[in-house]
Amino acid sequence: MLEHEQFVANFIDFWSNPSTDRIPEILHPDVVLMQPLTAPMHGIDAAREEFRGIWRLLPDLHAQVDRWRGDSEVLFIEFRLRARVGRGLIEWPNVDRFVLRDGKAIVRTNYFDPLPVFGEVLKHPSLWWRWWGSGAARPWQTGHKIADYRSTIITTDA
């Protein structure tokens, strides 16, 4: 199995039973994570903290991979995130763009529309405190500066 194929298999396995303890299975220690509404996150500890917040908001969040394309240099995975909200299920499409190093993601750029998620949070008062506690409601407390939001270029040449 090629490196990028193994990464996709590891990604699918991770999202079948996600946890902060398992993050090093798919992310390189020096990972840079970029996604809508947050400043870039640098390193595995920042990734763990971000996912802790996400799982505080949506404890049963899982992903279903729809398709992927790429190679060992750049890899795209299209998937749907799903979580229970009240008695219903919220689902929204995502695309992750990965740059791999040593079989793990060194750069992950996530693309999704956050509006459907916000709409569901607003419709369910039971989520309001979890949203606040997740940190997503208070981006100004991250300590990020405007410079953190500038483009990040990572080369894969060692």
Side-chain angles (χ1 to χ4, degrees):
M1 186 178 293
L2 297 173
E3 180 181 66
H4 63 285
E5 294 170 328
Q6 184 62 54
F7 178 83
V8 172
N10 293 346
F11 182 89
I12 291 168
D13 183 62
F14 171 83
W15 278 106
S16 70
N17 185 25
S19 78
T20 56
D21 292 337
R22 295 189 65 206
I23 287 175
E25 294 175 18
I26 59 172
L27 300 182
H28 190 279
D30 299 322
V31 69
V32 176
L33 300 169
M34 293 174 280
Q35 63 191 41
L37 305 177
T38 66
M41 293 158 271
H42 300 270
I44 204 92
D45 290 336
R48 281 187 166 135
E49 187 58 33
E50 178 69 13
F51 279 96
R52 274 188 202 101
I54 291 168
W55 284 315
R56 272 192 298 267
L57 176 61
L58 302 168
D60 69 337
L61 183 69
H62 283 74
Q64 171 67 47
V65 171
D66 295 321
R67 63 189 62 82
W68 64 273
R69 291 289 181 270
D71 53 35
S72 60
E73 290 184 30
V74 178
L75 174 67
F76 292 87
I77 299 179
E78 183 181 341
F79 60 102
R80 288 169 279 142
L81 285 171
R82 295 178 174 156
R84 296 222 168 273
V85 177
R87 293 183 202 157
L89 182 70
I90 181 174
E91 178 180 282
W92 65 100
N94 287 256
V95 174
D96 276 350
R97 178 189 181 273
F98 294 102
V99 175
L100 303 179
R101 182 182 294 162
D102 303 325
K104 297 182 181 186
I106 186 75
V107 178
R108 189 271 286 161
T109 305
N110 175 260
Y111 303 94
F112 79 98
D113 180 1
L115 289 178
V117 180
F118 284 143
E120 288 301 314
V121 169
L122 291 175
K123 287 194 284 187
H124 293 88
S126 64
L127 287 180
W128 295 354
W129 284 113
R130 286 194 307 197
W131 179 59
W132 186 261
S134 75
R138 297 167 286 154
W140 61 87
Q141 290 188 347
T142 64
H144 297 300
K145 298 177 179 43
I146 294 298
D148 293 332
Y149 293 87
R150 292 189 185 129
S151 297
T152 302
I153 299 173
I154 304 288
T155 62
T156 57
D157 299 333

